[in-house]
Amino acid sequence: MGKVSPRHPRAESLRVREQLVEGFKAGLVVPEGLAAHGRGEAFDYILGEQTTKQARRATEAAAAMLLLAKHPVISVNGNIAALVPAKIVELAKVANAKIEVNLFHGSARREAAIAKRLRRHGAKEVLGTERKFSTRIKEVHSDRRKIDRMGIGAADVVLVPLEDGDRTEALKRLGKRVIAIDLNPMSRTARKADVTMVDNIVRALPLLVKRAKRLSRGSKTNLREIIRSFDNKANLRATFRLMLNRLKK
Ligand code: ATP
Ligand code: MG
């Protein structure tokens, strides 16, 4: 760290890249994760690398949905563990959610490294690393078809920051409510999720924690009202229009 001058116009974006590269060297992140981040960056550039009004709305709905859930689970992959481990742990505490390591490119060693990093940031329990609780989602052709019976398997609401479209569709088929964080409003994940936060995880997670903390002090009626009045499709369309307008300028 420290190689990037704070005066560089892309200072924050470069700092995040460095963090991912460190995560790569530490065995948390795979090369494919670096490429996926690049795809995200391109969309973030168009958004002006800031949290939009639409993303704020989705974040509020996401917080409400997590707080109302009976068995909320936060799915964590390498990029998430590298970039926002403390926020994941904080969110799990506020929302009383379980944390599950769930990898597209799975290996026992990487799962263990990710779980260890989360524990170092205060996680009491990290699911997804024990073979005996492992079960499979049919029709998903990657290691990510594996889910923990005690975690995502039993969840009613799943937060999937950075998920692949196949898996999101499979989670929906299993009857889960899905909250996605994805900078690409056109991805299958973004379109299939019940709540889509089109925002960079490095901004989205801190904001989600803040919202969840504030809303947890209010009433359940208020939470239900937030979800009722949220329209994910309309919100995605508005985000897409915003991107088009920024490109036209
Ligand atoms: P899908 O499978 O949903 O159609 P995809 O194949 O384009 O999407 P994947 O590689 O499966 O993309 O998933 C990675 C997604 O994560 C991409 O859509 C990318 O925009 C998004 N992404 C990557 N890094 C970030 C980040 N830091 N914050 C938010 N989103 C990100
Ligand atoms: Mg994909």
Side-chain angles (χ1 to χ4, degrees), residues 193-224:
D194 296 276
V195 176
T196 310
M197 301 158 63
V198 180
D199 201 4
N200 197 318
I201 54 162
V202 300
R203 297 188 302 268
L205 251 308
L207 185 63
L208 184 55
V209 169
K210 238 195 237 172
R211 284 292 169 275
K213 278 187 181 162
R214 199 181 69 193
L215 290 175
S216 70
R217 293 190 286 267
S219 71
K220 291 228 160 131
T221 316
N222 181 41
L223 299 179
R224 279 191 281 269

Side-chain angles (χ1 to χ4, degrees), residues 41-62:
E41 276 183 346
F43 287 100
D44 207 10
Y45 192 96
I46 298 171
L47 284 170
E49 295 171 332
Q50 57 198 348
T51 301
T52 63
K53 192 174 72 189
Q54 290 77 16
R56 278 178 211 285
R57 256 188 226 138
T59 304
E60 178 120 89

Side-chain angles (χ1 to χ4, degrees), residues 4-15:
V4 183
S5 156
R7 282 194 303 275
H8 190 287
R10 306 248 83 70
E12 172 60 12
S13 158
L14 293 176
R15 187 192 64 76

Side-chain angles (χ1 to χ4, degrees), residues 16-31:
V16 172
R17 274 191 192 173
E18 279 185 9
Q19 228 176 316
L20 268 181
V21 170
E22 272 169 30
F24 174 72
K25 289 180 188 154
L28 300 165
V29 173
V30 282

Side-chain angles (χ1 to χ4, degrees), residues 1-245:
M1 293 265 192
K3 274 177 281 180
V4 183
S5 156
R7 282 194 303 275
H8 190 287
R10 306 248 83 70
E12 172 60 12
S13 158
L14 293 176
R15 187 192 64 76
V16 172
R17 274 191 192 173
E18 279 185 9
Q19 228 176 316
L20 268 181
V21 170
E22 272 169 30
F24 174 72
K25 289 180 188 154
L28 300 165
V29 173
V30 282
E32 291 85 346
L34 301 177
H37 182 76
R39 173 143 58 206
E41 276 183 346
F43 287 100
D44 207 10
Y45 192 96
I46 298 171
L47 284 170
E49 295 171 332
Q50 57 198 348
T51 301
T52 63
K53 192 174 72 189
Q54 290 77 16
R56 278 178 211 285
R57 256 188 226 138
T59 304
E60 178 120 89
M65 195 172 269
L66 283 170
L67 290 169
L68 278 177
K70 288 212 166 60
H71 303 288
V73 173
I74 305 168
S75 176
V76 176
N77 67 12
N79 288 30
I80 303 296
L83 296 180
V84 283
K87 290 293 161 187
I88 291 291
V89 176
E90 227 182 314
L91 181 65
K93 280 189 187 140
V94 187
N96 211 354
K98 290 188 170 166
I99 300 174
E100 175 167 342
V101 179
N102 208 274
L103 307 179
F104 193 92
H105 304 277
S107 83
R109 179 188 282 191
R110 202 155 77 86
E111 277 167 11
I114 290 169
K116 190 173 163 196
R117 180 158 165 93
L118 292 167
R119 285 202 197 91
R120 219 185 296 136
H121 282 86
K124 297 253 153 38
E125 185 189 30
V126 181
L127 301 171
T129 59
E130 285 201 51
R131 289 287 87 84
K132 65 178 174 188
F133 295 134
S134 182
T135 181
R136 275 154 202 282
I137 305 178
K138 267 181 263 162
E139 303 158 71
V140 175
H141 306 290
S142 78
D143 289 326
R144 258 187 149 171
R145 66 181 177 273
K146 284 191 300 195
I147 52 171
D148 196 310
R149 246 179 280 152
M150 317 296 282
I152 292 174
D156 53 346
V157 173
V158 191
L159 170 66
V160 288
L162 317 189
E163 185 58 278
D164 172 62
D166 277 356
R167 274 261 316 178
T168 306
E169 284 171 3
L171 291 173
K172 285 305 297 171
R173 275 199 299 275
L174 289 175
K176 316 284 179 198
R177 297 240 251 172
V178 176
I179 302 167
I181 306 177
D182 191 335
L183 276 161
N184 178 4
M186 292 170 281
S187 78
R188 283 173 306 156
T189 293
R191 285 182 285 134
K192 292 282 170 179
D194 296 276
V195 176
T196 310
M197 301 158 63
V198 180
D199 201 4
N200 197 318
I201 54 162
V202 300
R203 297 188 302 268
L205 251 308
L207 185 63
L208 184 55
V209 169
K210 238 195 237 172
R211 284 292 169 275
K213 278 187 181 162
R214 199 181 69 193
L215 290 175
S216 70
R217 293 190 286 267
S219 71
K220 291 228 160 131
T221 316
N222 181 41
L223 299 179
R224 279 191 281 269
E225 179 51 30
I226 289 170
I227 294 173
R228 202 194 55 76
S229 60
F230 179 74
D231 181 340
N232 202 47
K233 290 225 156 61
N235 204 51
L236 279 174
R237 274 197 301 273
T239 307
F240 189 62
R241 270 199 305 274
L242 184 106
M243 284 181 166
L244 282 176
N245 287 336

